Amino acid sequence: MTTPVTWPAPYLLKFPKLGEPGEGWIAVGEEGTVPFPMRRSFWTYDTPDSILRGRHAHYQTQQVLVAAVGRIIVTVEHADRRISTFWLEDPAVGLYLPPNVWRTMQYAPLTLQIVVASTLYEEADYIRDYKQFRQVWG
Ligand code: T46
């Protein structure tokens, strides 16, 4: 699998948001509102807050994570070993994740997470072994 030399660091992005208080809101994810062509979406729910998900990186897959309901604490380890933590709790805000970060997610009770991804699901794109992550991206 080929990998580019550089990827952008993780960052927060704002989705266009329509509506008003008292009426409710529509946040729109479409071509141009995320920094890659969207090829897959999945959502997670009923994750106990005692569970840490993730603990992996990717070779190619880019993603945007959204806390549609609730709160997600996302910790990323960058290729240069820096650690960043993001709190997602606004349904109109997403977190862009490049493939080359080791990510761990913790979910508040009743959180609904929506993820859009740049690739179809393929287990071969996952780096689930930390030592391998350091070898590939370190
Ligand atoms: C990521 C974070 C943010 C599938 O069969 N198809 C899919 O599209 C997905 C996402 C998962 N699966 C299978 C693979 C595993 O057997 O579902 C099982 C659980 O997946 P995983 O342990 O990778 O779940 P998370 O929540 O740790 O990670 C997911 C994404 O897989 C991952 O790319 O970055 O959300």
Side-chain angles (χ1 to χ4, degrees):
M1 224 174 261
T2 56
T3 51
V5 180
T6 58
W7 287 98
Y11 62 90
L12 296 172
L13 57 89
K14 278 206 147 200
F15 290 101
K17 180 176 145 185
L18 312 169
E20 56 183 74
E23 178 186 71
W25 303 96
I26 297 177
V28 181
E30 61 183 345
E31 193 176 317
T33 64
V34 299
F36 50 79
M38 296 184 256
R39 296 204 68 202
R40 175 167 51 114
S41 181
F42 59 91
W43 42 100
T44 63
Y45 50 95
D46 288 348
T47 308
D49 59 359
S50 57
I51 295 292
L52 288 180
R53 298 191 70 108
R55 292 199 181 100
H56 57 252
H58 285 280
Y59 288 100
Q60 292 287 339
T61 300
Q62 304 171 75
Q63 292 176 328
V64 172
L65 279 53
V66 178
V69 177
R71 184 182 63 241
I72 313 170
I73 302 174
V74 186
T75 304
V76 298
E77 180 178 330
H78 304 251
D80 63 6
R81 296 182 188 267
R82 274 179 309 120
I83 306 279
S84 304
T85 302
F86 297 90
W87 285 52
L88 297 178
E89 47 196 352
D90 179 342
V93 171
L95 172 63
Y96 168 77
L97 291 182
N100 64 340
V101 294
W102 185 262
R103 79 267 335 250
T104 307
M105 296 84 68
Q106 187 191 18
Y107 301 87
L110 302 180
T111 292
L112 168 62
Q113 170 187 245
I114 296 175
V115 180
V116 293
S118 64
T119 60
L120 300 180
Y121 174 74
E122 193 184 352
E123 186 58 35
D125 188 63
Y126 283 74
I127 305 174
R128 294 191 186 271
D129 177 74
Y130 182 80
K131 278 188 190 159
Q132 191 187 350
F133 163 65
R134 296 263 39 119
Q135 281 167 5
V136 173
W137 290 115

